Each structure stands twice: as structure tokens, then as C-alpha cells.
Amino acid sequence: MVEHWHGDLFPNQHEWNPIMKLSQLIVLLAVLVFWAIGDLCGMFNSDVIPPILDVGAALGTVFQRTEFLPSLWLTIRDSLFSVIIATSLAIPLGLLIGMSSKIELSTRVLLDFGRTFPMIALIPIFILLIGTNHIMKIVITSMAWIFPIRAQSVYGARRLDTTVEDTVTSFQIPAMMRFTRVVFPSAMPFIATGIRLSLSISILVAIAVEVFTQVPGIGSLIGLAQTYNETAVAFLYVIIAGLAGVSVTGLWDLLETRLLAWHHRGEKS
């Protein structure tokens, strides 16, 4: 993961104009056309990328299966829980590190190690410690996103305006008030970027854990579909998982618009 992400690199959905929306639709249609042409020309291995008509036909089959919607809900629910846990731990830690250079230096090696360590490799250990269940999935997914959110929190805490920082120092504002009234609001736009990234990709991480462990969810359905050679069904599950991530991210964008309305008004002025 990149240690310093800037909020401007990931613009908010509410800032996108109709032309941007139209361009997204054109790109999506272009991908579908390329997929269809690739099927006709035999460019793709049907065992890896099934024909687009087969995937479309599988849509009706999937929604008729009683296990589909509960499994989708379990994946989304556990992903949201993991982001909530990661956020509640990473934001205070990141802001504290960002406010103190001494703490940042003393924790740098440990946090860099955790940031680069592949969390999927911990699955066998957590299976032995916790078991193959939803708690294990939530723990692993949470650990995967503590470090990105922490990085955004650190960056946000360090982006405090010099004038504001001098004013806080001059008036000798208490540390707790400085944290809650100055540092945290200033870092919120950057923290929101970290949460947005985590919400979409946490679903993919949860699915990866489900595929490896067969914990109930979309990932376990993908594994079963592959076992029974239902390539089109498995591919459709992957597409639905991606759409779920986009939907959750879109809902967060709407919430972020309300929470950071003061920030967006400042950007426009």
C-alpha cells in the first residue's frame, strides 16, 4: 500500500459531472462489446472467461437459488463490520502518530512491517486460533485495512494549516480540545478517502477469505460453482461482488457529502 495517499487523487462521486457519467457508461459498453466480439472470434478461453450470453443466462439461475441473497448479505455484512473495526482502531492511532514525530519514529518499523505483510498468509493461523467462522473472516479483513486507513489518518493530521497550528499553540489550547476540534476535523477529508477505498476492496478481501476457507458468503458460492464446473455462474458471482462494492462505495459518497459539506463548500469557494 502507498503510505501517503492524497484525497485529490480519488475524487468524490458527487463532484463528477454528467459528461463523466456518460464517459463511464461508454467505457462499460465498450467492455461488453469487446467481450462479445472476443467470444465470436474465439479470443478467450471459455474455462476462464465464459461467453457473455452464458453469463447473461446464468443471471436467472443465480437469483432462483435460495442461498444467493443470504450469502451476498453475509459477505457485505462482514465486510462492513471489518471496516468499522479497522476504522475505530486506525483513526485514533493514525492521528496520534501524525501529531507526534516521536511516536511516528518509534512505531515506524512495526507499522511498515504490518503494512507489507500479506494478511491472507495468516488464514491457517487464525483458523487454528478462532476456527473457520465469520469472526475469523472479520478479523483478517479488519487487519488488512487498519494500515491504509491509518496511513490516511497520519497524512491528514500532518496537513494541518500552519496558521491554525500557530493559533492553537499561541492560545495554549488543551491537547484533548486540539484533537477533537482541530486535528480530527482537518484530517476528516483524508480519512474519508481511506474509508472509501476500504469499503470497496474489503468486499474483495472477504470473498478471498471465503474462497480459501469456505466460510458462508459469495466466495464460498464461487468455490462451489468452480467445483461443479459452472464457470458462467462463478464469473457472474464475481461481477455481482464488484457491483456490491460499487454500490457500498456510492452510499458512502452520499454520506460523505453530508458529513463533509463544509469541506466541499470550501473547495468551491
Side-chain angles (χ1 to χ4, degrees):
M1 298 293 177
V2 179
E3 182 69 17
H4 300 299
W5 286 328
H6 195 288
D8 293 341
L9 295 178
F10 305 97
N12 295 326
Q13 298 286 343
H14 54 266
E15 294 176 347
W16 294 2
N17 53 42
I19 297 178
M20 182 69 72
K21 296 287 187 181
L22 179 60
S23 65
Q24 290 179 336
L25 180 60
I26 293 174
V27 171
L28 177 60
L29 292 176
V31 171
L32 294 177
V33 170
F34 177 74
W35 186 3
I37 294 175
D39 291 338
L40 294 175
C41 298
M43 296 170 56
F44 306 131
N45 184 350
S46 60
D47 293 331
V48 179
I49 302 178
I52 188 171
L53 294 180
D54 291 353
V55 175
L59 188 62
T61 303
V62 164
F63 279 96
Q64 290 178 359
R65 298 183 177 182
T66 56
E67 71 273 13
F68 168 66
L69 290 179
S71 297
L72 178 62
W73 162 244
L74 289 174
T75 298
I76 295 176
R77 184 200 66 181
D78 293 346
S79 299
L80 293 178
F81 279 156
S82 69
V83 173
I84 291 172
I85 293 172
T87 300
S88 62
L89 296 175
I91 292 177
L93 177 62
L95 293 178
L96 185 62
I97 293 173
M99 292 171 61
S100 173
S101 58
K102 294 181 179 179
I103 296 178
E104 193 275 334
L105 289 175
S106 62
T107 60
R108 178 179 296 175
V109 175
L110 178 62
L111 293 176
D112 284 347
F113 174 77
R115 179 170 55 87
T116 57
F117 191 85
M119 294 302 170
I120 298 298
L122 295 176
I123 289 180
I125 298 175
F126 280 103
I127 289 178
L128 293 175
L129 294 176
I130 304 175
T132 307
N133 50 44
H134 292 283
I135 296 177
M136 180 271 298
K137 178 174 62 173
I138 292 172
V139 170
I140 292 178
T141 311
S142 300
M143 292 180 63
W145 288 110
I146 284 178
F147 296 98
I149 298 176
R150 190 270 313 175
Q152 282 292 97
S153 302
V154 170
Y155 189 74
R158 291 176 178 172
R159 291 283 295 179
L160 189 63
D161 185 82
T162 305
T163 304
V164 175
E165 191 170 2
D166 292 341
T167 302
V168 170
T169 304
S170 299
F171 285 93
Q172 298 181 345
I173 295 177
M176 182 57 66
M177 182 177 293
R178 178 191 176 195
F179 180 85
T180 57
R181 299 294 183 89
V182 180
V183 177
F184 182 64
S186 177
M188 279 184 65
F190 302 93
I191 294 172
T193 299
I195 295 175
R196 188 187 311 124
L197 293 171
S198 301
L199 282 171
S200 58
I201 307 181
S202 65
I203 294 180
L204 303 183
V205 175
I207 289 174
V209 176
E210 293 165 355
V211 170
F212 281 114
T213 63
Q214 289 301 297
V215 175
I218 288 293
S220 63
L221 294 184
I222 293 174
L224 288 175
Q226 291 174 333
T227 300
Y228 291 107
N229 200 28
E230 296 180 321
T231 307
V233 173
F235 203 81
L236 180 59
Y237 283 143
V238 173
I239 294 175
I240 292 174
L243 293 176
V246 172
S247 301
V248 171
T249 305
L251 292 175
W252 170 253
D253 286 330
L254 294 177
L255 180 60
E256 181 185 341
T257 303
R258 294 181 177 274
L259 293 176
L260 299 180
W262 54 271
H263 174 70
H264 300 305
R265 285 196 298 266
E267 287 181 339
K268 294 177 180 179
S269 61

